Amino acid sequence: MTSTRFRCLGPLEVWDGDRWVSPGGSKVRGVLAALLVRAGQNVSVDHLVHELWGDAPPASCRTLVRGYVMSLRRLLDDRGAEVVQSRHGGYRLNVGRDAVDATCFEDLCDEGVRLRARGDSDGASPLLRRALSLWRGPVLADVPVTPSTAAYAGGLDERRLAALIWRMEDDLERGRPEELVQELMGLVAEHPYREDLAVLLVRALHLAGRRPEALKFFADHRRLLREDLGVDPGPELCGVHQQVLLDERRPVWQGRIPAQTPPCLPDFTGREKEIEHWTAVLTADDSRALRTIAISGRAGVGKTTLAVQLAHRLRRNYPDGQLYADFTGQTTSGAVLGQFLRALGVPGPAVPEPLTERIQLYRSLLADRRVLVLADNAEAEAQVRAVQPGAAGCAVLVTSRKRLLGLESAYFADLDVLEPGAALDLFARIVTAGRVREEPGAALEIVGLCGQLPLAVRIAGARAATRPGWRLSAVAEELRDETSRLDRLRAGDLDVRAAIGTSYAGLDREQRRLFRLLGLLDVPDFPAWTAAALTGAPERVADDRLLSLVDARLVDEIGPDLGGRPRFRLHDLIRIFARHRAEREDDADTREAALSRVFGGWLLLAERADELLPARTVAALRPAAPRWRPAAAESAVSDPFAWFEVERQVLAALVRQSAATGETGYAWGLAAAAQTFYELRDASEGIRTHRLALAACRAAGDRLGEAVILRNLADLHSGKSGAVLDDKIEWADTSLRIFRELGEPRGVADALYLCGDAHRLRGDYERALSRLRESVEIARSCGYPLGELHVLQQFSSIDSERGRYDEALGHARQAMVIVEELASPRDECVVRALLGMICKRLGRFDEGAEQLRQAVEMARSFADPLMEAQMLAHLGQLYADRGHPDARRTLERALAASSACHYEHGQAVALHGLGLLESEEGRHGQSVARLLAAADLWERLQNAYGRARTLGALGEVYARGGDLAAARRTLAEARREYRQLDNEAEAARLDALSRSLGDPSDGR
């Protein structure tokens, strides 16, 4: 920086080392003014051109600008190039804040305001007077007005007026009213609608002994407001008027009207609902009692910012002043009351020492007054009670990280992080909306990595704003690394780690230990028992410690789960802080043991819940990993579906974390315990989770885990969108090979059954039967009835698809015997569906319909949407064959339910039935479209029998519609499919139909 100085609070002048001189030429002054307005910033030549000539610059404008800059540099002598620097196609004025009178004025005002807020009027007064003395006239008086200089001057003029008002308030309090009257009259004439100036003038006139003039001015001012604006004077001016009417020769406030609330942040955003609600509470007419609002929330969530914003909005509602105290650190209630009393005009020697006397004097001074008190960062209820006025017309705003539930008759507000939109808006206000529009995805990622915590968003925005050349995507990349994220979220004295650290320091030793260990978990939320599992403490003791962390706002209680039990979570940045502390303060053995107990607790509960589900598709093979038993384990999983729904995201996160930490047994054990739930609810989620566990097993060489997970993946393969039959065969074959190596007979039986099922779907019945026969022999030899049941279901399906309905019926009845022994509702659904479809093909429609109706009701009773959709589809097909009035409604329900679950097998069955129904009702085009869609689905699913049936039906529909060529072509394709499936009866039926159409082929 240089010693060059500039003055713009009046005509524009430059100090040449000996005297103040005016830059020659209006254009030179215009260039200097544009640079001064943006001192320290790069100003483009285009901007200077616009400032000098607006929208009509001369052709040589850029050359002229360079000439004006050269003139300015010559004026500055040998320092010119150093002060007016060339930068990236523009220029930059390189000066310090103390080199420009306008910034000196702003800094003096800021310091004066800070001292006033602390109640130090004696210290503030000389600073404000010195600031005002810098003014020599209108801002940039001899510079042509442009939009940027006008905005610059407008801001400075507003600050000058505020400083003048503060100075005049001080003069009034020091007993110099007569000296102010003329000055105030001039200001009121310039600003006729400013009530603060009108209040000062009425007070000055009154205190100067000019009561009639004070009353006349009030009457004139009231008339002006009514005529021009249609409003009456505000409560503060009316209060002064009442005092004048009573001729009380004193100001409205005995002493001073304190205005200690810190300034509002200009980029405040969000919290509109909170502002609206609490403003309504604090401005309600009911004034029977003091109003206290206690705002609590974690560090950095914006409690103080919200309270300050509220206080400023309520300034007119509390015209007798605003008091502010920050209880951070060792600040005592006695010290705060001493500050308040002095701010209220009590001389220092007159402030009593005992706390009770200070409280009494404080409340006496505020009696019948309307004052707003802001108690910031309170640690305890006693601190707040000490500064609560007794007057019903007063109000108290409290901020605290704790919930100060002991505050009598208080309103409580728990503040959470910003909504994503509000967080993005705050970020945009800091870094500029243009940068956010340019990279909206990166900006949204940044606020997400900040956890939408206002303090973190503000710091990230400040860091990005100071690096305008950086892409926001680079800022986001910095923040992605959890190990250094908190280091990045620090700017000046704003520091997320320090803010969280203050709360951490207030915990006792055991609370800190629990907090650190909670940070080890990579789960979105957790139940209360995890506190005991992590620490090894009794659950009741651990619960108390967990709730103390909730009170300290380090842990969030997020309400009851589906079972009515409380859930908790850590904000991402708090979790990172806790984990860093754990890595520094807890040894590796402690951390590993804590995680092992938690993993073991969730594994035990998942296995218990799995045992209570109404289905079992494969043998339950479990890892040898240790379990940890929560106290209320049985009641926690009494509703297994509800438990899995609550924990489904947690389980996926635990599989991921246990895999990453080398706890492979927990990784595959947790995935396997949830396999049946995934089968019933969301197979695609189950496949994703199992793939994570599979990678961990292979990396660790855990062969049993690998085999179990591969078998489960084959079982989770379903008729859903994206399922590939080749994957199922590969998974089943690989698991079979490993189970054989390990000598696990139930695993071998399951893998053989799954191989057989895949080959059946492809229509390779010989290979399927070979696998299934071996499977049933092993299942019977090792006492595994579930394995035998599943093979009997497969035998029944193959017999039915081959047209051997008597054999199919026999196998289905054998399966039902085992179902009744196992009491397996889902398997009963499957067997009833088989019986229903076989009865339909045997012409026993009523018996088949009853079986399928029971299957639908059973699937609905245990909330299996995939099974219900499939049963409805089969029932609808039977209804369509019989002309039942409920056929269309049933099939449409089946199609909608299957589509909602992305269950393509159910969609294909329903579309097939609807196609037949459309044909029966004479809608040929719709019938063909439905059946073609079904055939496409069967082909995608590689389901040979389903495709053969649908092609046969489509050929018949073509024939009925008169499209004989399409009918012959489609029937021929269906015949080939049936012959490959060894279903000669159906192939022969289609042969006969083809011949009746005049098919020249021989039927082969």
Side-chain angles (χ1 to χ4, degrees), residues 348-365:
V351 175
E353 281 300 322
L355 177 62
T356 54
E357 292 183 20
R358 290 188 177 193
I359 293 173
Q360 290 167 357
L361 177 58
Y362 168 70
R363 290 177 177 165
S364 298
L365 287 173

Side-chain angles (χ1 to χ4, degrees), residues 777-1002:
E777 288 176 8
I778 294 172
R780 286 168 178 164
S781 67
C782 70
Y784 179 32
L786 181 67
E788 182 182 358
L789 167 62
H790 289 156
V791 172
L792 288 170
Q793 292 169 353
Q794 291 288 318
F795 284 162
S796 181
S797 293
I798 292 172
D799 288 336
S800 179
E801 290 168 7
R802 284 175 148 181
R804 301 170 185 177
Y805 300 122
D806 290 335
E807 292 92 332
L809 190 61
H811 282 125
R813 286 173 173 165
Q814 291 179 53
M816 184 61 81
V817 172
I818 300 177
V819 162
E820 291 170 353
E821 292 174 359
L822 294 177
S824 173
R826 194 169 198 258
D827 283 308
E828 184 174 344
C829 272
V830 173
V831 175
R832 288 194 182 280
L834 287 168
L835 290 168
M837 290 183 287
I838 294 166
C839 287
K840 182 186 80 167
R841 288 171 187 137
L842 289 171
R844 293 151 55 177
F845 291 101
D846 291 341
E847 184 181 347
E850 181 58 28
Q851 291 286 357
L852 288 167
R853 278 194 292 268
Q854 288 188 45
V856 169
E857 290 305 316
M858 290 194 71
R860 189 175 297 141
S861 70
F862 59 80
D864 186 345
L866 265 66
M867 183 63 69
E868 183 182 354
Q870 185 173 347
M871 298 302 105
L872 281 169
H874 288 304
L875 179 61
Q877 276 198 18
L878 184 147
Y879 280 167
D881 286 346
R882 295 292 288 167
H884 194 287
D886 287 338
R888 179 172 295 278
R889 183 175 63 86
T890 304
L891 288 166
E892 294 286 6
R893 283 176 58 200
L895 182 60
S898 298
S899 299
C901 299
H902 307 289
Y903 183 41
E904 291 186 339
H905 184 280
Q907 292 176 52
V909 175
L911 286 167
H912 181 110
L914 285 167
L916 296 178
L917 191 62
E918 304 286 9
S919 178
E920 289 296 325
E921 295 177 357
R923 288 186 286 273
H924 178 74
Q926 292 93 321
S927 174
V928 169
R930 299 273 200 182
L931 290 168
L932 284 172
D936 286 343
L937 287 171
W938 291 127
E939 186 168 6
R940 185 153 67 236
L941 293 169
Q942 298 176 273
N943 190 311
Y945 177 72
R947 188 168 183 274
R949 280 193 67 236
T950 298
L951 287 174
L954 180 61
E956 293 183 56
V957 168
Y958 279 138
R960 195 175 300 141
D963 189 346
L964 300 184
R968 285 193 290 267
R969 184 176 63 252
T970 306
L971 289 170
E973 189 175 357
R975 288 200 307 274
R976 285 194 297 274
E977 294 278 0
Y978 274 121
R979 287 197 170 107
Q980 289 175 3
L981 295 171
D982 196 23
N983 191 334
E984 286 297 333
E986 192 61 24
R989 187 183 72 82
L990 296 181
D991 273 341
L993 177 58
S994 294
R995 285 193 294 272
S996 72
L997 300 177
D999 186 351
S1001 73
D1002 62 359

